[in-house]
Amino acid sequence: MSFNKDKFVKIGKRARLQKLAYYLREFIIKYEELVADKGNNFNINEKSNNEIKLEDELKFIYFKNDIFQIYSRINLILQWIKEIDKNEFEFPQSFYDLKIFYHKILNLVSDNFYNESNIFDKEKNERTIIKTSVILDNIRSPYNVGSILRTSEAFGVENLALTGITPSLQNSKVKRVSMGCNIHVLYFNYTEEAINYFKKENYKIVCIEKTNSSIDYRNLNIENPCFIFGNEEFGISPEILKKSDYIIYIPMFGKKNSLNVSVAAGIILEDNFNKKFKIH
């Protein structure tokens, strides 16, 4: 390592955990590369994580690339952290547990320390896009906005419009949750402006709200939908509902009669994507 134990003590507790997170991430990347390499002498999929220990697998790859060096650094850091901070961290016994351990360490350091999306995301920016758009109507929580962004990106949404008080992509919490999603985002001061824009683009406006005239979302199968998800507490205003072409709802059978807006978005967008590709 480029520093010794004395220097490691001086950098502070959070910085020590950041060093650990950095090398854990490097190890995960290298290990994934080795598993993907068809020339490997082992196959991680031959046995489940409970049947084979990561340490045993490493015996096959100690001298491939620099993964053994990274592995040694991680163990040295774990030893030092144990001595200095009295944290009983251990190198996990399976690769899956190692990835969970990495996220555990991330939670102990700054939210902005690492963008973990880089580890497992596809290298290319290409994605499947379908003629679907989303309007977020005065969504308050940046965490909900970030989550819906990720879901929209995953299920082929072409455009996502943020209106009213909905936090922008510049919000640090939105950035954290959305993890650099590749999707076209528009901004409007008022939801009515967004509706007018998408109607001119030949979209059908679909509000997700439970009313006397709402239909079960499973019975909706249309071309070019633009889904509107409303404020977490107050939902979608009557004025906006009047401008919609369809109003749909998600049937629920529990004591609670509502869902978190990001969960509702996941259900609707996944269903829409499946209908487009006739996935059952």
Side-chain angles (χ1 to χ4, degrees), residues 202-216:
N202 198 32
Y203 279 94
K204 296 295 183 182
I205 305 302
V206 183
C207 288
I208 291 75
E209 190 69 77
K210 194 164 188 178
T211 70
N212 292 332
S213 59
S214 298
I215 64 173
D216 190 322

Side-chain angles (χ1 to χ4, degrees), residues 191-246:
T191 302
E192 291 86 348
E193 295 174 350
I195 291 174
N196 292 337
Y197 172 85
F198 285 114
K199 281 192 172 184
K200 290 179 181 178
E201 296 295 316
N202 198 32
Y203 279 94
K204 296 295 183 182
I205 305 302
V206 183
C207 288
I208 291 75
E209 190 69 77
K210 194 164 188 178
T211 70
N212 292 332
S213 59
S214 298
I215 64 173
D216 190 322
Y217 79 97
R218 294 168 293 186
N219 296 328
L220 180 75
N221 192 355
I222 61 172
E223 296 297 321
N224 307 348
C226 176
F227 297 106
I228 300 182
F229 298 96
N231 179 269
E232 294 92 333
E233 184 175 359
F234 303 112
I236 300 173
S237 72
E239 291 75 22
I240 297 301
L241 292 175
K242 290 177 183 177
K243 293 180 178 293
S244 64
D245 298 299
Y246 301 91

